[in-house]
Amino acid sequence: MPEHVEKNDPVIAELITRVPTLLHSLVLSLGTAGPVSVDRVAKVERAADAIGASWVSEHLCFSYADGIAVPALTPLPFHEEAVETAAANLRVIQSHLKRPLIVENVTNAFVWQDNQYTEAQFVAKVLEKADCGLLLDVTNLYINSKNFGYDPYDFLREIPAERVVQMHLAGHSATEDGRLHDTHEGGLHPDVLKLTEWVLRHTPCQALVVERDSDLRSFADLEYDLALCRDLYRKWRTRN
């Protein structure tokens, strides 16, 4: 999310008249207990207003604590206390933004011990308690399912399908030990595309976004992945 967006910027003005725009935030730290940062919310609100964002999305994680930025999107414990904290923060932030705020599932570098819920149950409880939508990152889901040994389709069947608003898809990489990482490199894995198609068949998802911020040499590198997503979206949205 940009720190400062000018509404009269000619590039932005042209962009928002030609394509739908969405705002994706990294700074709101939905899992942080304590008062919501009014300054951070105001910056997100100004940026969303400037580009005419249909909705704003944010990660369901920690990104700062005690005013100190965390260098990675840190997973939340799947506990009732974390549900209450995230939902309360979401309700406060939504009251300021004047547009929907949806949450994204993240890749988990680790899982906290003694969790009360599965990740899917935890996400579902936050969505219901905050009455908000889900940005379902199917690549994050695929990576977590491989790294932690569960069936991604079980996750999809546990979350409230009617709350899926948007999807993210991206490439990933693997280390020598076989652990997967969300690197946003090129090339969508066939299993990620299968998950995407399942979601389009079973939810009212309105938008697909291909994330690519690593090893991007030209826009042409994206065209194949974009074409795959367009074909899937048109296939299932035409039928519906």
Side-chain angles (χ1 to χ4, degrees):
M1 184 204 73
E3 285 283 320
H4 183 63
V5 178
E6 289 285 356
K7 290 186 179 182
N8 60 357
D9 185 300
V11 176
I12 293 176
E14 181 181 3
L15 178 67
I16 63 178
T17 60
R18 295 177 58 184
V19 297
T21 56
L22 303 171
L23 186 67
H24 191 46
S25 172
L26 293 162
V27 301
L28 296 176
S29 198
L30 300 177
T32 299
V36 170
S37 170
V38 175
D39 181 60
R40 290 171 185 262
V41 175
K43 288 177 179 178
V44 171
E45 182 181 10
R46 287 197 298 271
D49 287 345
I51 66 173
S54 300
W55 58 77
V56 173
S57 53
E58 179 57 274
H59 305 79
L60 187 55
C61 68
F62 296 111
S63 55
Y64 68 86
D66 293 329
I68 300 171
V70 179
L73 301 175
T74 303
L76 302 178
F78 306 146
H79 295 168
E80 186 61 31
E81 184 178 359
V83 170
E84 295 290 343
T85 296
N89 288 339
L90 279 160
R91 289 193 295 268
V92 171
I93 296 166
Q94 287 185 104
S95 70
H96 289 276
L97 292 182
K98 303 187 295 290
R99 53 177 48 80
L101 174 63
I102 65 176
V103 297
E104 178 183 359
N105 57 303
V106 300
T107 50
N108 298 321
F110 62 91
V111 174
W112 296 89
Q113 294 184 348
D114 301 322
N115 283 324
Q116 291 177 263
Y117 309 118
T118 66
E119 182 181 10
Q121 290 169 339
F122 175 75
V123 170
K125 285 179 174 292
V126 172
L127 298 179
E128 297 291 348
K129 186 146 295 212
D131 191 21
C132 69
L134 176 65
L135 192 175
L136 178 60
D137 191 314
V138 287
T139 298
N140 289 351
L141 169 58
Y142 175 74
I143 289 171
N144 287 341
S145 73
K146 291 298 183 184
N147 288 345
F148 297 101
Y150 64 83
D151 186 338
Y153 293 94
D154 287 343
F155 178 102
L156 292 175
R157 284 186 282 266
E158 279 196 87
I159 61 172
E162 72 279 2
R163 291 191 180 271
V164 178
V165 176
Q166 179 185 343
M167 273 190 282
H168 274 178
L169 305 88
H172 63 274
S173 62
T175 52
E176 290 184 1
D177 62 0
R179 189 172 181 84
L180 304 185
H181 298 273
D182 182 30
T183 50
H184 293 185
E185 295 179 352
L188 300 176
H189 193 281
D191 288 344
V192 170
L193 291 170
K194 289 178 184 177
L195 289 168
T196 301
E197 186 159 14
W198 191 98
V199 174
L200 287 171
R201 287 173 58 196
H202 294 92
T203 79
C205 177
Q206 301 174 42
L208 278 67
V209 173
V210 177
E211 295 186 293
R212 184 78 176 277
D213 51 29
S214 179
D215 195 32
L216 181 60
R217 296 179 177 85
S218 71
F219 186 77
D221 288 347
L222 275 172
E223 289 181 333
Y224 182 72
D225 288 345
L226 289 172
L228 289 173
C229 291
R230 287 194 189 102
D231 288 346
L232 281 178
Y233 190 85
R234 290 166 179 162
K235 173 184 177 182
W236 290 102
R237 288 300 167 263
T238 299
R239 292 187 180 192
N240 293 340

